[in-house]
Amino acid sequence: TQLLEQSPQFLSIQEGENLTVYCNSSSVFSSLQWYRQEPGEGPVLLVTVVTGGEVKKLKRLTFQFGDARKDSSLHITAAQPGDTGLYLCAGVRGTYKYIFGTGTRLKVLA
Amino acid sequence: GAGVSQSPRYKVTKRGQDVALRCDPISGHVSLYWYRQALGQGPEFLTYFNYEAQQDKSGLPNDRFSAERPEGSISTLTIQRTEQRDSAMYRCASSYTTSGGYEQFFGPGTRLTVL
């Protein structure tokens, strides 16, 4: 059962555009992670956010954890074709359980 | 260093057969997870091991699914009497700690097809 809804589900944009992906839940998580997955491979961790309201930046990617620790967003500035992939959020419940989101498939056109 | 490995990478079986999927985690990683992933969607939790102890099997769909990690290293996910609805990508992941929020390292997955 997916408890984390991501939007949009699909996104196709031109190189240089900005975009935001949302991850929403009615549940509180102890922390939240974002992963990127490329075809034929497993998800790879991008970032972990722990504190409500926390903002982390990773080059052109900005991640924010909601104040109530129920939602998160990923913003990409000046997208590049190398950003293409499946983006997944994952909420951490308790000490070990990861609940993954429904996924956002991003395609950046050159 | 070596990452998480899974075997076989692809498995085609006939309905009713049993299958065993193997996961070899990163050496020293104490936590091991099994997930099932549909195409284009996030992994769905199946079960979690803390060393050799199966701490949570709440995500296993039914009693045809079982998993073990007898020596706290390699793990096997077994599906008995396979059904077509069991067709999916099965992934395992390992983490060096038992505390949540740390990085999980995922294997390449086993693509199971039940005919």
Side-chain angles (χ1 to χ4, degrees), chain A residues 4 7-8 25 29 36-37 41 64 67 75-76 84 87 93-94 104 110:
Chain A
L4 280 169
S7 62
S25 174
F29 295 102
R36 182 168 66 206
Q37 185 174 13
E41 299 182 5
Q64 183 164 7
D67 291 341
H75 182 79
I76 301 178
T84 293
Y87 287 82
R93 175 164 295 166
T104 294

Side-chain angles (χ1 to χ4, degrees), chain B residues 49-96:
Chain B
F49 288 87
N50 177 353
Y51 292 94
E52 71 280 359
Q54 188 173 22
Q55 198 161 325
D56 188 331
K57 56 180 181 178
S58 62
L60 295 178
N62 51 61
D63 60 9
R64 294 185 298 105
F65 288 73
S66 63
E68 63 175 9
R69 193 187 185 198
E71 297 179 358
S73 180
I74 294 170
S75 178
T76 302
L77 176 69
T78 301
I79 308 174
Q80 295 180 312
R81 305 181 303 282
T82 52
E83 301 178 4
Q84 288 187 328
R85 59 177 172 161
D86 300 333
S87 295
M89 174 70 81
Y90 290 85
R91 293 193 189 276
C92 75
S94 69
S95 176
Y96 69 88

Side-chain angles (χ1 to χ4, degrees), chain B residues 37-54:
Chain B
Q37 186 175 20
L39 192 62
Q41 297 190 14
E44 178 186 9
F45 173 85
L46 294 178
T47 187
Y48 165 68
F49 288 87
N50 177 353
Y51 292 94
E52 71 280 359
Q54 188 173 22

